[in-house]
Every structure is written in structure tokens, then in C-alpha cells.
Amino acid sequence: KKFVVIVCNMSSNQQKNYQIKVPQEGTYREIFNSDSKCYAGKGVENTGDISSSKYQTRYEGVKDFITLTLPPLTATMYELDGQ
């Protein structure tokens, strides 16, 4: 089953070390970033492999997350490698 993780930063501030839950453990890669230079953006991108990590939640048990840098006023998309 294929899926895409979509993250939007609607604030005017860059968000560093932003953690977001993902539905499956593994390595993710950025497939779209509206801040890319090809869209006349500044080019703040998450390049290379983005490995998920695990964390313990109080109510949901152990979950997977990825840590990102989100440019201001952008939309980004990520997919699990090997889907």
C-alpha cells in the first residue's frame, strides 16, 4: 500500500527539528518541496535519507516519526523508500 506524507508550514518562520508521526518505520525521502529553487524558492530542503525513529506515547504506545526542517510558507511531501 503506497502513501505520501504531506507537511505544510503556514507560518512565516522556518521550523527546525520538526517531528511528525509517520505510518510506517523506514527511510523516507522528500519528493516535493515548494521552497525548491526550481519554484523560485530559497532551497531549504531535506536532502538524502530521512530515517524514522521510535518514541513512546502515553496513549498510543510506540510510534514512528521523522525529523524535518520546514521552510516558511511551504508544502513538502515525503514517501517511504521502496514502496
Side-chain angles (χ1 to χ4, degrees):
K1 190 177 194 181
K2 289 185 117 183
F3 60 88
V4 173
V5 177
I6 301 170
V7 184
C8 298
N9 180 9
M10 297 302 172
S11 81
S12 59
N13 299 315
Q14 179 173 295
Q15 305 296 320
K16 293 183 179 180
N17 297 314
Y18 187 84
Q19 296 179 331
I20 186 164
K21 285 194 286 186
V22 291
Q24 193 173 329
E25 176 182 16
T27 301
Y28 288 77
R29 64 184 178 93
E30 187 175 84
I31 58 172
F32 173 79
N33 183 329
S34 64
D35 194 55
S36 177
K37 289 189 178 199
C38 70
Y39 302 116
K42 294 190 178 189
V44 177
E45 300 176 298
N46 296 280
T47 58
D49 294 340
I50 305 167
S51 298
S52 67
S53 300
K54 294 202 175 290
Y55 71 99
Q56 178 73 40
T57 67
R58 185 173 185 175
Y59 300 106
E60 299 178 88
V62 177
K63 295 292 177 183
D64 296 296
F65 70 92
I66 54 177
T67 303
L68 307 168
T69 296
L70 302 177
L73 303 170
T74 58
T76 56
M77 296 181 188
Y78 307 87
E79 72 178 5
L80 182 64
D81 273 349
Q83 279 196 104

